[in-house]
Amino acid sequence: MSKSYGFIEITGVVAAIDALDIMCKTADVELSSWERKLGGRLVTIIVEGDVAAVTEAVEAAVAGGIKKPANYAVIANPHEEIVRIVELSARRWKSLKNGENEETEG
């Protein structure tokens, strides 16, 4: 299985959680990371899985979410630099979730 990423950028945390719920219930994908910008007014959800599952999940969230996304994309077989960026985001998210200081990350 080659890794693929699905991105949904949407306004509002509630809409983002709704989109994530739809994606995870629709296909075999899992949350990689999420980013909040502008105080949570703009949220990017990143899921991963095989390309068919990610595509199905993103399409379902776009069609059935409580808000239409500002942007969305599926990246099949991402370049190593894209993987590095997503992994960096995931490490920041996990360190914040575990109560660690973001500045201690190297």
Side-chain angles (χ1 to χ4, degrees), residues 10-18 34 37 40-43 45 67:
I10 198 162
T11 56
V13 173
V14 172
I17 297 299
D18 177 62
W34 72 308
K37 302 296 180 195
R41 289 179 293 195
L42 190 58
V43 181
I45 298 288
K67 278 189 177 179

Side-chain angles (χ1 to χ4, degrees), residues 49-80:
D50 69 51
V51 69
V54 169
T55 301
E56 182 181 11
V58 168
E59 287 175 355
V62 169
I66 59 176
K67 278 189 177 179
K68 293 297 178 198
N71 288 296
Y72 58 93
V74 172
I75 300 178
N77 193 25
H79 186 275
E80 63 189 47

